[in-house]
Amino acid sequence: MVLIYIDQDEQEIKKASFEAISYGATIAKQLGTTAEALLLGTVKNNLADLGKWGANKVHHVNNIVLNSFDARVNATVVAETAKSLGATVLIFAHNLNGRAIAPAVAVKLGAGIVTGACALPKTDAGFVVTKTVFSGKAFASIEISTPIKVISINQNSFGTVISDAIATVHELAVAVPSSTLKITSVHKIQGEVPLTEASLVVSGGRGLKGPEHWGVLLDLAKALGASTACSRPVSDADWRPHHEHVGQTGIQIAPNLYIAIGISGAIQHLAGVNRSKTIVVINKDGEAPFFKAADYGVVGDAFEVVPALTAAILKSKSNA
Amino acid sequence: MKILVCISKTPDTTTKIAFTEGNTKLDENGVQWIINPYDEWYSLVKAIELKEKDASVTIHLITVGGADTEPIIRKALALGGDEAIRVNNNSNDSFIVAQEIAAIAKEGSYDLILTGKETIDYNSASIGSMLCALLDQNFISAAVKLDLNGNTLQVVREIDGGEETGELNFPAIISCQKGMAEQRIPNMRGIMAARTKPLKVVEASVTNATTHIKNFELPPAKSGVKLIDPDNMDELVRLLKEEAKVI
């Protein structure tokens, strides 16, 4: 049985978990077994709906203590549940909480783990999982040789498969170890899609010359409904907040569209964004290395090109 | 307070990645080796900051790897560790590495174990979480801030779209990332002192790998950029809609 961990935040199922269910369900089909989801805590979502993304069953540990995330406690509950249900493959989203517990769960099950997978495992001979390595500069195929396998799947690398199926929901009573971690505050950036979940991203670099010039970029992002990001020099100079820094030592993202404005495309920056499906580069220097990694390029002054692009997008939206 | 800082050796961030031996090994020709940036800039420097505030803090460094990791360990000692332990195990299986670290951690009864958020080579982001299970200690991942208040740790971690603050007691395992501390450069005094700091080598004790790398692959090259006239943004919008189908 393939068991998929459902991550939640403030009683809402995380977007990455729907993708994890579809990924796990596809593996279950490949292996001729069932796909079962595991949710800890209480959520507002209707659990039977998880069938849509491919879960045959949803196991629900309905304990309010589990609404706040404690890696040690969650990993223990997941591992105990996986053992009692006889799971042979465990799937996690490779988001922040998934990263925090998947390796601990693997240890508790004596299982081999591949984190940051980017494709379905090959299961015809052995069990081989492909993941991104060297911060997106390469892929590695890794064989897991233990009876139980654990995988965390990179966000936005598989997508979702939707049907009109309905899952059966099973309430589970599991002993929950007491937590010695006290969450004292949560601070959310208001009104923005988290970068790791964004499908459209507009990003700026030093070419924009200063924080006071960010308006053209913000207008474009608003017209597209995109999230905003920046290069490392920009966040280091405090032109933009640190949480917007994408790159090798910042956030690694894989949106459908990444628009880079005034970013030269240093190898460290590319490592954070080269899994984007489509890359548009706007730079006045036609020799900028980023053009080699781009799908579409515009050689021109950002302060002219970007407002023109914004206008073209608004025009196309009003015609639609 | 005793702190254990996990140190890993990785290729420099500017390394152009290539493979050899039928795509089964990293081509190490011309590769500059560095301390994994998350281990150095954030966890090690954070440990040094704690020691600067409280001289009774001791910092031990641990690395799991061959003798070729020693220049990296010396550099870490030059930045500020008190002593280092190298477990002579060349495995790149996270489970093995974590078990080696856990064995040393149990022996040294550390109050705090710091790791980087991930290494920039295999990007597994696994060691901290595995230590959590092996040592049954609290684990905070992707931490951006750590403050000490008596015996209570206040840690801010990144969550999707924000930050969460938690309080916990020792012992604890924290994986560190940007925000935790500022990058430092070792000074001459540190470099001189590092030469004589103890570096203990411990033989490998774990060998049963749970995974192994079959081969590597480079991403397919982009077919070439399509250049759009800067005066024709309607064309770019059309291509994004009709060709790329992303908006």
Side-chain angles (χ1 to χ4, degrees):
Chain A
M1 181 263 282
V2 176
L3 188 66
I4 303 125
Y5 174 79
I6 306 300
D7 190 23
Q8 61 136 318
D9 181 33
E10 296 181 329
Q11 302 194 41
E12 296 276 352
I13 293 175
K14 301 286 302 178
K15 186 183 165 196
S17 292
F18 298 116
E19 183 178 27
I21 297 172
S22 288
Y23 178 75
T26 311
I27 296 173
K29 266 188 208 138
Q30 209 170 303
L31 297 170
T33 182
T34 56
E36 306 184 10
L38 171 62
L39 172 78
L40 312 187
T42 53
V43 290
K44 294 171 191 144
N45 308 61
N46 178 357
L47 295 184
D49 283 350
L50 297 182
K52 264 194 208 168
W53 288 273
N56 303 109
K57 279 187 192 174
V58 179
H59 301 280
H60 183 203
V61 184
N62 192 356
N63 186 328
I64 199 156
V65 171
L66 294 166
N67 284 7
S68 66
F69 182 85
D70 177 333
R72 188 180 62 91
V73 170
N74 281 43
T76 305
V77 173
V78 174
E80 288 308 315
T81 310
K83 268 184 218 165
S84 68
L85 297 171
T88 51
V89 178
L90 280 87
I91 305 297
F92 295 80
H94 194 56
N95 65 351
L96 285 149
N97 288 348
R99 282 173 214 216
I101 62 168
V105 171
V107 164
K108 286 173 185 285
L109 298 174
I113 177 170
V114 173
T115 57
C118 58
L120 287 168
K122 291 190 190 77
T123 52
D124 41 351
F127 194 98
V128 180
V129 187
T130 303
K131 69 160 291 183
T132 48
V133 288
F134 298 102
S135 308
K137 291 178 200 166
F139 302 104
S141 294
I142 299 178
E143 175 152 38
I144 305 180
S145 49
T146 48
I148 301 176
K149 283 99 177 154
V150 179
I151 304 174
S152 69
I153 169 83
N154 266 341
Q155 281 172 265
N156 238 355
S157 64
F158 183 74
T160 51
V161 184
I162 295 176
S163 73
D164 50 12
I166 295 167
T168 57
V169 180
H170 303 253
E171 297 295 334
L172 282 183
V174 180
V176 177
S178 59
S179 173
T180 50
L181 167 68
K182 194 173 102 201
I183 305 300
T184 54
S185 70
V186 175
H187 171 76
K188 283 281 175 72
I189 302 144
Q190 290 306 314
E192 275 181 51
V193 180
L195 262 180
T196 48
E197 291 185 2
S199 54
L200 306 172
V201 175
V202 179
S203 185
R206 260 183 305 197
L208 284 173
K209 296 194 181 87
E212 66 278 17
H213 297 133
W214 237 255
V216 289
L217 185 151
L218 298 177
D219 288 345
L220 174 60
K222 198 173 164 209
L224 276 169
S227 295
T228 53
C230 69
S231 66
R232 178 161 174 216
V234 166
S235 81
D236 280 357
D238 284 330
W239 293 0
R240 297 296 297 170
H242 284 311
H243 64 78
E244 284 198 359
H245 164 205
V246 293
Q248 187 153 357
T249 53
I251 301 171
Q252 279 107 50
I253 55 171
N256 291 333
L257 173 64
Y258 183 74
I259 302 183
I261 303 167
I263 301 176
S264 64
I267 191 163
Q268 296 97 327
H269 184 76
L270 296 182
V273 302
N274 58 10
R275 290 190 295 114
S276 308
K277 287 201 178 75
T278 299
I279 294 178
V280 175
V281 169
I282 300 170
N283 204 305
K284 69 174 184 206
D285 174 10
E287 300 298 312
F290 215 154
F291 284 111
K292 288 202 180 75
D295 300 281
Y296 303 104
V298 184
V299 181
D301 183 344
F303 298 107
E304 288 163 19
V305 171
V306 176
L309 177 57
T310 305
I313 284 161
L314 291 173
K315 189 171 81 186
S316 114
K317 281 200 172 163
S318 66
N319 291 344
Chain B
M1 180 174 54
K2 281 181 80 179
I3 307 177
L4 184 66
V5 179
C6 304
I7 299 287
S8 185
K9 182 188 92 164
T10 59
D12 180 74
T13 55
T14 56
T15 307
K16 214 166 170 209
I17 299 297
F19 300 103
T20 169
E21 294 180 29
N23 283 333
T24 58
K25 276 188 100 166
L26 176 71
D27 183 353
E28 297 189 2
N29 256 324
V31 171
Q32 292 277 347
W33 297 99
I34 58 167
I35 307 171
N36 178 46
Y38 291 107
D39 300 345
E40 177 187 339
W41 304 349
Y42 309 122
S43 41
L44 175 57
V45 177
K46 185 72 217 181
I48 295 166
E49 285 178 2
L50 291 171
K51 192 183 167 84
E52 284 167 351
K53 281 194 197 135
D54 174 0
S56 70
V57 169
T58 50
I59 304 172
H60 289 185
L61 312 177
I62 181 164
T63 198
V64 178
D68 59 348
T69 58
E70 293 200 355
I72 299 302
I73 309 172
R74 289 284 173 207
K75 188 188 168 197
L77 286 170
L79 279 161
D82 293 305
E83 52 185 274
I85 303 150
R86 174 171 74 83
V87 182
N88 192 27
N89 190 331
N90 260 321
S91 175
N92 53 25
D93 182 294
S94 301
F95 202 164
I96 289 186
V97 173
Q99 287 177 80
E100 295 285 18
I101 296 172
I104 300 291
K106 275 180 192 157
E107 219 170 277
S109 37
Y110 295 92
D111 301 293
L112 187 60
I113 302 177
L114 300 179
T115 74
K117 178 182 86 161
E118 63 184 44
T119 59
I120 61 164
D121 51 5
Y122 296 109
N123 308 108
S124 292
S126 293
I127 299 300
S129 177
M130 287 182 167
L131 290 174
C132 161
L134 292 165
L135 301 170
D136 192 30
Q137 291 179 6
N138 275 323
F139 170 53
I140 306 289
S141 68
V144 295
K145 196 165 184 282
L146 187 166
D147 287 313
L148 201 55
N149 189 354
N151 268 340
T152 307
L153 283 164
Q154 191 178 65
V155 187
V156 182
R157 73 166 181 126
E158 185 194 352
I159 56 173
D160 292 303
E163 291 177 348
E164 180 184 85
T165 308
E167 281 181 4
L168 63 160
N169 292 324
F170 294 128
I173 304 152
I174 316 278
S175 86
C176 308
Q177 64 162 333
K178 193 163 189 166
M180 200 55 142
E182 290 295 330
Q183 187 179 359
R184 292 187 183 188
I185 295 163
N187 58 31
M188 194 39 83
R189 214 180 61 183
I191 294 166
M192 298 304 286
R195 291 189 187 167
T196 53
K197 285 180 182 171
L199 196 173
K200 188 168 90 179
V201 179
V202 177
E203 277 316 309
S205 61
V206 194
T207 48
N208 49 328
T210 54
T211 60
H212 77 271
I213 297 174
K214 296 199 69 146
N215 64 282
F216 293 101
E217 216 179 311
L218 291 171
K222 287 263 180 186
S223 53
V225 58
K226 206 176 254 186
L227 288 177
I228 320 287
D229 180 352
D231 293 324
N232 193 359
M233 285 302 100
D234 290 335
E235 173 64 3
L236 178 57
V237 172
R238 188 191 69 77
L239 288 168
L240 291 176
K241 266 189 156 171
E242 294 170 15
E243 191 177 75
K245 298 188 174 71
V246 288
I247 60 172

